[in-house]
Amino acid sequence: MKLVICIVNNRDKSILGDALIEQSFNYTIIGSTGGFLKQGNATFLIGLEPNRLPVLFELIQNNCKGREETINPLPIEGNLAGIFMQPSMKVAVGGATVFVIGIEQFQRF
Ligand code: 2BA
């Protein structure tokens, strides 16, 4: 058995969740926050048999879109605070960040 940890943009959470249900994947969603952008994202935990991985990857690819986010950093602190602003910056955020872990044992009690 494998555990797929899949981090997606909050905006793709529902559409990916619906697609997973439709294909009978079991999953849990954990609300999470990206370390760099500090924006909310969604982390899916999906337990599955390895032979279903290709179908899962296709679902993720088809339902999670890459986006460009603009970050507006806070003004530089100090005597001249508010005068020197750091420029806004564009960051490409991937459709999904996926980790696959081998599971030694899976039990439901
Ligand atoms: P964030 O950490 O908020 O990162 C959002 C996007 O910012 C990243 O998109 C990447 O394009 C950019 N970014 C991240 N760190 C950067 C840096 N030091 N300098 C410049 N740009 C940077 P993605 O790579 O698609 O990642 C989307 C989200 O997936 C991340 O949100 C984070 O929550 C998660 N993630 C990505 N890689 C990860 C990893 N190796 N381990 C754990 N979580 C990861």
Side-chain angles (χ1 to χ4, degrees):
M1 185 168 204
K2 300 286 186 188
L3 178 66
V4 172
I5 301 173
C6 174
I7 304 162
V8 305
N9 192 293
N10 259 338
R11 280 172 275 178
D12 294 329
K13 182 171 77 173
S14 299
I15 191 168
L16 178 61
D18 291 347
L20 290 171
I21 295 270
E22 203 172 295
Q23 295 288 326
S24 305
F25 284 99
N26 292 320
Y27 65 91
T28 297
I29 301 177
I30 300 175
S32 46
T33 305
F36 186 68
L37 294 182
K38 310 214 181 319
Q39 288 178 0
N41 51 30
T43 299
F44 284 75
L45 303 182
I46 308 155
L48 74 168
E49 292 309 320
N51 64 330
R52 298 197 74 201
L53 281 172
V55 175
L56 176 63
F57 290 159
E58 200 180 329
L59 272 188
I60 294 172
Q61 265 189 316
N62 290 343
N63 290 287
C64 300
K65 310 211 177 332
R67 294 184 175 86
E68 213 169 55
E69 302 280 348
T70 304
I71 319 171
N72 291 305
L74 293 170
I76 296 168
E77 286 182 33
N79 292 341
L80 300 175
I83 296 178
F84 294 112
M85 303 286 288
Q86 294 178 32
S88 62
M89 195 173 128
K90 289 201 166 165
V91 176
V93 183
T97 300
V98 174
F99 303 89
V100 181
I101 301 172
I103 296 300
E104 200 172 306
Q105 202 176 354
F106 169 69
Q107 297 284 353
R108 276 201 189 104
F109 295 104

